[in-house]
Amino acid sequence: MAAPTQTKFFPDLLFFLSVALLLTSAVSAYEFRVGGPRGWTKPTGDELGNYNHWATKNRFHVGDSLYFKYENDSVLVVNKNAYKECNTTDPQLKFVDGNTTFRFDRHGYFYFISGKPGHCEAGERLIVRVMVHSEVMPGAAPSSQPGGGSANTESGAALKTTTAASVLMAALGSLFAISQFS
């Protein structure tokens, strides 16, 4: 039996790694719907604190995004002090279109408040802590899915179908199998 040829191995490796990286970038982000079906609205009654309570049940990473659906309102991205004081006078960003998608471009804390008078004081505000992806931090444990590991329709989180590691392992496994039979 002849020895397998190595000339096709490297082009195949390059192809599979390219596909794995492409798939990884396509499936590694979530879009979270703020407020679930009700959207970004002024809380009433016992709902006070519901936005921050919801945020603590989810894990946010760089590349994920928040989707705000609202009417006759706005979304302001503010600093910590403006968040605490519900100060709407000097936001970092202001959105008024009723369909806002905000993508996290860094890790750390993000502060959101309503721009409509009285709404922030009534609880229409949100703090989000964005984590560093485990792929970025060597030795870090993989992150869990949003909402405790299950598809959470109330949060509107998109279900992640695979992780970067599993895509890469599948590609390398396929490449190994192909090279054995070439």
Side-chain angles (χ1 to χ4, degrees):
M1 182 192 274
T5 61
Q6 297 296 321
T7 57
K8 192 168 186 283
F9 179 77
F10 288 108
D12 287 343
L13 177 63
L14 183 61
F15 171 76
F16 281 108
L17 289 177
S18 298
V19 169
L21 289 173
L22 198 65
L23 289 173
T24 300
S25 65
V27 297
S28 64
Y30 293 101
E31 182 177 87
F32 295 87
R33 184 177 176 131
V34 178
R38 289 191 55 207
W40 179 245
T41 61
K42 177 182 173 183
T44 58
D46 62 344
E47 298 171 331
L48 292 177
N50 68 339
Y51 291 110
N52 287 331
H53 180 71
W54 167 80
T56 62
K57 292 181 175 183
N58 292 287
R59 296 189 65 138
F60 303 94
H61 297 281
V62 174
D64 290 346
S65 59
L66 295 179
Y67 172 70
F68 294 87
K69 175 72 174 165
Y70 51 95
E71 292 180 19
N72 302 316
D73 204 339
S74 60
V75 177
L76 307 181
V77 181
V78 296
N79 63 32
K80 185 177 182 178
N81 287 335
Y83 173 86
K84 285 181 183 180
E85 299 167 6
C86 288
N87 183 345
T88 61
T89 58
D90 192 25
Q92 296 170 349
L93 295 170
K94 181 176 184 176
F95 302 99
V96 295
D97 64 352
N99 288 299
T100 299
T101 300
F102 180 87
R103 186 177 174 275
F104 298 116
D105 60 354
R106 62 172 175 80
H107 68 277
Y109 289 92
F110 289 82
Y111 302 91
F112 302 89
I113 63 174
S114 168
K116 191 165 185 176
H119 282 219
C120 177
E121 293 84 356
E124 192 177 354
R125 57 184 172 171
L126 170 67
I127 300 173
V128 172
R129 179 178 177 219
V130 177
M131 314 291 278
V132 176
H133 261 297
S134 60
E135 289 93 9
V136 176
M137 294 178 53
S143 63
S144 65
Q145 291 185 358
S150 62
N152 184 343
T153 56
E154 185 173 274
S155 72
L159 183 61
K160 187 181 209 179
T161 58
T162 185
T163 64
S166 62
V167 170
L168 186 57
M169 292 302 289
L172 290 175
S174 297
L175 181 60
F176 178 75
I178 290 171
S179 69
Q180 293 300 310
F181 295 107
S182 295

